[in-house]
Amino acid sequence: MITTSIMQIIQERRTIRQFSNQPLEIDTIRDIIDVARWAPHHAKTEPWRLILFHGEQRQQIIHMAEKTYTHLSETALSAFISYLKTVPAFLVVVMEQRENRKHWEDDLCATSTLIQNIQLVGWEKQVGMVLRTYGEQMTSRIKEYLGVHQDEKIVGILQMGYFDDAPIATQRKSVDELLTIM
């Protein structure tokens, strides 16, 4: 078995928007989540839940997009729907909405860590992803179609699948640009 270091996976992982025709098995997604669920959360509440749309159930996402993206032109909506039909799986990441602002921020950070873990473990398994996030107006419409409770937040939707080619890395800021030493 060939293993890749976590440092290499972090540096090589890319956002994937073009998926191959290779089916993505539910067992592979379950394996990814099984590792990713170890995301740190100091309160140990694991404030997230995941909703998978796979196989024929992907039509629910496509139907939701047709009803939600009414602001797009007919041409743009048609192109968007055509793209969605190429996505093998949609993983909706949902978080509890707590009243206390500090707890809410802690939960959002922990849920974001879960998402990063899903992306990194997926990359190790040659599963690419793009994370889509939405503003509150769009999210409220999406919640209605996906059956997400009003006291929950859709943090994002991961579009997942195998891919043929990874994009070239974009330039990143240097450590010296990012780090202030006091």
Side-chain angles (χ1 to χ4, degrees):
M1 179 170 126
I2 298 173
T3 58
T4 309
S5 77
I6 189 70
M7 290 187 294
Q8 185 178 358
I9 292 170
I10 289 170
Q11 290 177 327
E12 291 179 357
R13 190 210 58 81
R14 300 284 174 269
T15 296
I16 301 297
R17 291 179 175 85
Q18 299 295 313
F19 301 101
S20 73
N21 292 328
Q22 182 181 353
L24 179 58
E25 299 298 325
I26 289 178
D27 286 343
T28 301
I29 298 168
R30 290 179 62 84
D31 290 346
I32 290 168
I33 294 168
D34 190 43
V35 174
R37 67 189 171 91
W38 290 93
H41 188 261
H42 68 270
K44 298 182 176 91
T45 58
E46 299 178 42
W48 50 74
R49 71 183 183 98
L50 307 167
I51 307 167
L52 178 63
F53 292 87
H54 183 272
E56 290 302 313
Q57 297 305 313
R58 295 175 312 134
Q59 290 300 321
Q60 290 182 44
I61 294 287
I62 293 165
H63 177 73
M64 178 269 307
E66 290 171 333
K67 300 297 181 195
T68 304
Y69 288 87
T70 55
H71 61 282
L72 296 178
S73 70
E74 191 175 316
T75 304
L77 182 58
S78 178
F80 183 53
I81 297 303
S82 292
Y83 166 74
L84 291 178
K85 289 178 180 178
T86 70
V87 178
F90 298 90
L91 186 65
V92 182
V93 181
V94 179
M95 171 189 102
E96 297 172 24
Q97 293 257 57
R98 297 205 280 173
E99 294 288 327
N100 180 293
R101 180 68 181 187
K102 182 187 181 319
H103 292 153
W104 186 90
E105 288 177 359
D106 288 346
D107 291 349
L108 181 61
C109 290
T111 304
S112 298
T113 304
L114 170 74
I115 291 168
Q116 178 72 1
N117 282 0
I118 291 169
Q119 291 175 317
L120 294 174
V121 175
W123 191 260
E124 185 177 47
K125 293 182 168 290
Q126 287 82 47
V127 175
M129 298 174 209
V130 60
L131 173 65
R132 303 290 185 180
T133 59
Y134 308 90
E136 274 309 307
Q137 183 179 12
M138 189 67 74
T139 300
S140 64
R141 289 188 224 157
I142 294 171
K143 280 180 170 184
E144 181 183 326
Y145 284 103
L146 301 183
V148 174
H149 306 122
Q150 288 305 310
D151 62 343
E152 294 178 310
K153 173 178 181 50
I154 296 175
V155 178
I157 300 176
L158 285 163
Q159 298 172 355
M160 310 171 71
Y162 292 108
F163 58 97
D164 295 321
D165 298 309
I168 296 173
T170 57
Q171 187 65 30
R172 299 292 176 119
K173 292 180 181 178
S174 72
V175 172
D176 293 332
E177 292 175 276
L178 298 171
L179 178 63
T180 302
I181 300 174
M182 307 300 281

